[in-house]
C-alpha cells in the first residue's frame, strides 16, 4: 500500500464528509434547500460545480483512456459537444427554466404537461439512465484505488460509495454544491499541472505527438464511421439541454442571468479541461504505455502519473480523480433521488416538507445500494457506458423538455408519445441493430419530434392558463 498517496486521499475524503455534515442543518430546513440549495448559489461557485459535474470520472480517466486506446479525434468530438451543450443551454434553456420556478427537470415537465403517465415516465427514464451512469463512476473509483493506493478494486468501490452517499444524504444540494466547487478547483489545478509536466517530460508538444503516434499511428486520425463522431458530438450537445444533474445548476442559481452566465463560464472551463485531458494527457498516456496492450484501458492515465509524478502529486492526482468521480456521482444520485422521492413517492403519498426531505435521504440510500450491487463487474470504457445511458435519456426527454419551454401548442399527449417514441426507438436500434456507436440518436430524436408534433396536433391546444404561463417565461 502506498502511504503518501493513501494519506492525501483519506484527508480529502474526510473533508468531503465534513462539508456534508456542516450543510446538514441548512439542507434539512426545507425541500428547496435540500434539492436546490435555496436557489442562492453564486456564479463562480456554479461554474466550477458545472466543471466537476460534467467532467466526471470519465473526464479524468475514461476520456484519457479512450484517447489512448482509440485516438484523440473520437473523444474530442464528445468533449467539444459537452462544452457547446452548456453554451446552447445558456441561450435556450437557462432563462425560461429558471423563471418557471421548477426545481428539477421532472417537476418542470410534470408542471408543464400535467399528465400522470408523463409524471411517472420521466423519473423512470432518469432512474434507468442515471443508474448506469453511476455504475461507470463506481468503476473509475475502484480503478483509482487499485492502481494509485494499492487496495483491492472492490474495497475502493465500497469506500467511495460510502463517502459520497453519506455527504449527499446529509447535506443534499448544499453539500453537493460546496463539495463540487472544491472538487472542480482541484480537478482543474491537477489537470493543468499534469499537462505542463507531461509536455516538459516529453520535451514539448511536437515530441509528445511523435511519441504518441509512434505507439499508435491512428492517434490523430478519424478512423471510425463519420456518424460515430457526429453522434458523439451532438449527444453531448443535447445532454446540456435536458440532463437533470446539469440543469439542477440552473435551478440552484440566484437568477436567470446568473444561471446563463454560469453555463457560459462552465463551457469555457470544460473546453480548456477537455483539451488538456484528451489531447495532452491522452497522448502522454499512450506514449508511456507504448505499443503494449493493457488489461484496463480506463487506467491509462494512472500509468502516466506513475511515470511523471512522485508520491505527493500521485496522491493529489488520485484525490482529483476521486473529485471527478464523487462530484458527478453526487449530482447524479441527488437527481435520481429527486425523481424517485419528489416525482413518484410524494405524488402517491403527499407529505409535509420535513418528511419529504427525510424521504429524499432514504431514496438516496436505496438508489446508491442498487448502484453498488451493479458495480462489482462493470464493462470496459466507462465513457462509452455512461454516454449510451445518456443517449437513451436524451432520446426520451430532450424534445418534451424543449417543446415544453418554447412551444405553446405542445400538449400532454404530444409529450407522452414523444417520450415513448424516442426512448423505445433508441432501445430497439441499440439492442436490435448493428449501427455505428451513437448514430442511433439521428433516428430516435426525429421519431420523438414527430411524435410530439402528431400528438399535439391530434389533441386540443393547452389551456389559456398554460399558454400564459409559457409566455411569462420569455418576458423580461
Amino acid at each position: 500500500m502506498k502511504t503518501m498517496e493513501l494519506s492525501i486521499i483519506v484527508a480529502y475524503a474526510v473533508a468531503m464528509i465534513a462539508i456534508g455534515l456542516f450543510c446538514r442543518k441548512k439542507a434539512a430546513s426545507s425541500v428547496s434547500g435540500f434539492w436546490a440549495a435555496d436557489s442562492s448559489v453564486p456564479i463562480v461557485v456554479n461554474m466550477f460545480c458545472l466543471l466537476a459535474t460534467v467532467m466526471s470520472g470519465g473526464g479524468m480517466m475514461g476520456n484519457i483512456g479512450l484517447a489512448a486506446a482509440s485516438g484523440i479525434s473520437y473523444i474530442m468530438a464528445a468533449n467539444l459537444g459537452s462544452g457547446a451543450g452548456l453554451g446552447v443551454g445558456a441561450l435556450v434553456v437557462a432563462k425560461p427554466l429558471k423563471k418557471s420556478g421548477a426545481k428539477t427537470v421532472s417537476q418542470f415537465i410534470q408542471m408543464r404537461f400535467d399528465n400522470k403517465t408523463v409524471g411517472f415516465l420521466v423519473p423512470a427514464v432518469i432512474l434507468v439512465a442515471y443508474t448506469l451512469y453511476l455504475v461507470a463512476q463506481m468503476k473509475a473509483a475502484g480503478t483509482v484505488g487499485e492502481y494509485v493506493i494499492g487496495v483491492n478494486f472492490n474495497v475502493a468501490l465500497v469506500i467511495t460509495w460510502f463517502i459520497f452517499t453519506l455527504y449527499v444524504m446529509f447535506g443534499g444540494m448544499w453539500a453537493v454544491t460546496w463539495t463540487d466547487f472544491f472538487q472542480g478547483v482541484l480537478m482543474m489545478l491537477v489537470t493543468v499541472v499534469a499537462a505542463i509536466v507531461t509536455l516538459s517530460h516529453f520535451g514539448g508538444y511536437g515530441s509528445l505527438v511523435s511519441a504518441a503516434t509512434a505507439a499508435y499511428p491512428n492517434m490523430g486520425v478519424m478512423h471510425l464511421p463519420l456518424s460515430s463522431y457526429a453522434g458523439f458530438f451532438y449527444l453531448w450537445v443535447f445532454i446540456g439541454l435536458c440532463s437533470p444533474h446539469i440543469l439542477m445548476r440552473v435551478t440552484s442559481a440566484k437568477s436567470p442571468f446568473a444561471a446563463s452566465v454560469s453555463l457560459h463560464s462552465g463551457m469555457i472551463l470544460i473546453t480548456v479541461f477537455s483539451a488538456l485531458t484528451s489531447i495532452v494527457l491522452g497522448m502522454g498516456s499512450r506514449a508511456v504505455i507504448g505499443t503494449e496492450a493493457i488489461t484496463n484501458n480506463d487506467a491509462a492515465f494512472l500509468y502516466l502519473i506513475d511515470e511523471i509524478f512522485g508520491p505527493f502529486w500521485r496522491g493529489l492526482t488520485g484525490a482529483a480523480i476521486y473529485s471527478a468521480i464523487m462530484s458527478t456521482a453526487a449530482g447524479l444520485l441527488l437527481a435520481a433521488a429527486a425523481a424517485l422521492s419528489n416525482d413518484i413517492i410524494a405524488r402517491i403519498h403527499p407529505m409535509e416538507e420535513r418528511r419529504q426531505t427525510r424521504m429524499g435521504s432514504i431514496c438516496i440510500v436505496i438508489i446508491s445500494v442498487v448502484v453498488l450491487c451493479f458495480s462489482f463487474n462493470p464493462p470496459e470504457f466507462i465513457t462509452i457506458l455512461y454516454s449510451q445511458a445518456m443517449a437513451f435519456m436524451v432520446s426520451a426527454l430532450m424534445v418534451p423538455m424543449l417543446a415544453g419551454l418554447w412551444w405553446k401548442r405542445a400538449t400532454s399527449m404530444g409529450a407522452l408519445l414523444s417520450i415513448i417514441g424516442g426512448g423505445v426507438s433508441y432501445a430497439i436500434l441499440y439492442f436490435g441493430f448493428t449501427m455505428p456507436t451513437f448514430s442511433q440518436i439521428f433516428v430516435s430524436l426525429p421519431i420523438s419530434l414527430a411524435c410530439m408534433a402528431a400528438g399535439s396536433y391530434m389533441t386540443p391546444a393547452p389551456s389559456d392558463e398554460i399558454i400564459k404561463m409559457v409566455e411569462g417565461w420569455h418576458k423580461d
Side-chain angles (χ1 to χ4, degrees):
M1 190 173 290
K2 302 174 182 179
T3 307
M4 174 69 78
E5 291 92 326
L6 179 62
S7 300
I8 293 172
I9 291 173
V10 167
Y12 157 78
V14 170
M16 296 302 101
I17 294 174
I19 291 172
L21 292 172
F22 179 78
C23 295
R24 184 177 184 181
K25 185 176 181 181
K26 293 181 76 172
S29 62
S30 67
V31 172
S32 175
F34 193 86
W35 299 116
D38 292 321
S39 298
S40 60
V41 179
I43 291 173
V44 174
V45 174
N46 238 354
M47 60 189 274
F48 278 99
C49 287
L50 279 164
L51 169 66
T53 297
V54 175
M55 304 312 295
S56 59
M60 290 205 73
M61 287 184 63
N63 288 6
I64 296 172
L66 200 56
S70 302
I72 62 175
S73 301
Y74 191 40
I75 189 58
M76 277 307 296
N79 287 337
L80 291 174
S82 63
L86 293 188
V88 177
L91 296 174
V92 304
V93 175
K95 177 182 172 181
L97 179 60
K98 180 64 180 175
K99 293 188 76 172
S100 75
K103 302 304 179 187
T104 64
V105 167
S106 296
Q107 188 183 49
F108 168 77
I109 294 178
Q110 181 183 329
M111 173 183 68
R112 171 63 175 83
F113 295 110
D114 192 23
N115 179 284
K116 287 185 178 181
T117 307
V118 169
F120 284 109
L121 275 180
V122 172
V125 168
I126 292 169
L127 284 170
V128 170
Y130 279 7
T131 297
L132 292 174
Y133 204 148
L134 280 162
V135 168
Q137 304 312 305
M138 290 296 93
K139 182 194 175 181
T143 303
V144 175
E146 189 174 26
Y147 284 83
V148 176
I149 58 179
V151 302
N152 177 268
F153 177 93
N154 290 339
V155 172
L157 197 73
V158 173
I159 292 172
T160 306
W161 166 83
F162 175 77
I163 293 168
F164 80 78
T165 300
L166 194 65
Y167 73 70
V168 176
M169 180 182 69
F170 282 143
M173 190 60 166
W174 279 111
V176 171
T177 293
W178 287 106
T179 53
D180 276 9
F181 171 68
F182 291 116
Q183 289 163 342
V185 172
L186 179 60
M187 287 165 59
M188 183 59 82
L189 170 66
V190 167
T191 298
V192 170
V193 171
I196 292 171
V197 174
T198 298
L199 290 170
S200 174
H201 179 81
F202 285 98
Y205 184 73
S207 299
L208 173 62
V209 172
S210 298
T213 52
Y216 183 66
N218 284 331
M219 180 57 65
V221 179
M222 294 179 64
H223 56 94
L224 299 173
L226 184 60
S227 58
S228 287
Y229 294 97
F232 215 1
F233 173 80
Y234 282 109
L235 168 62
W236 279 95
V237 172
F238 298 150
I239 286 171
L241 304 181
C242 67
S243 179
H245 78 293
I246 295 174
L247 295 184
M248 286 176 85
R249 288 289 148 212
V250 170
T251 62
S252 67
K254 290 184 175 182
S255 66
F257 173 77
S260 180
V261 173
S262 296
L263 289 176
H264 279 304
S265 304
M267 173 187 69
I268 295 170
L269 284 179
I270 287 168
T271 302
V272 173
F273 183 91
S274 299
L276 293 177
T277 52
S278 300
I279 298 176
V280 178
L281 301 182
M283 288 197 296
S285 299
R286 183 73 264 173
V288 165
I289 296 168
T291 57
E292 176 189 352
I294 58 175
T295 56
N296 185 354
N297 284 294
D298 291 317
F301 181 39
L302 305 180
Y303 286 81
L304 175 64
I305 65 173
D306 267 346
E307 176 79 14
I308 65 173
F309 282 149
F312 174 79
W313 274 99
R314 280 201 300 268
L316 203 61
T317 303
I321 297 171
Y322 273 121
S323 295
I325 295 163
M326 290 189 189
S327 56
T328 301
L332 294 168
L333 185 57
L334 193 69
L340 178 59
S341 175
N342 288 7
D343 305 315
I344 295 179
I345 295 175
R347 290 190 66 200
I348 298 172
H349 298 290
M351 57 191 78
E352 50 93 19
E353 281 205 357
R354 191 165 290 275
R355 276 195 66 197
Q356 201 168 334
T357 58
R358 285 199 296 268
M359 179 56 67
S361 296
I362 293 170
C363 289
I364 285 167
V365 174
I366 292 171
I367 294 169
S368 69
V369 169
V370 172
V371 168
L372 181 65
C373 292
F374 282 104
S375 299
F376 290 109
N377 188 28
E380 195 175 16
F381 289 126
I382 55 177
T383 301
I384 299 296
L385 171 62
Y386 69 68
S387 294
Q388 292 288 12
M390 297 301 279
F392 165 70
M393 190 187 72
V394 164
S395 297
L397 299 187
M398 190 187 81
V399 170
M401 182 74 190
L402 295 183
L405 286 169
W406 287 93
W407 190 30
K408 292 181 287 187
R409 186 62 178 78
T411 67
S412 59
M413 179 56 69
L416 176 61
L417 295 179
S418 180
I419 293 169
I420 295 172
V424 170
S425 63
Y426 181 84
I428 291 172
L429 291 170
Y430 180 73
F431 291 107
F433 295 85
T434 302
M435 299 177 66
T437 312
F438 303 120
S439 63
Q440 295 89 348
I441 63 170
F442 294 122
V443 179
S444 59
L445 281 176
I447 289 174
S448 179
L449 181 60
C451 289
M452 170 60 79
S456 296
Y457 282 120
M458 286 190 306
T459 50
S463 66
D464 291 340
E465 181 182 356
I466 296 233
I467 291 174
K468 288 179 181 178
M469 179 176 68
V470 175
E471 289 174 344
W473 300 336
H474 301 281
K475 290 180 180 178
D476 292 331

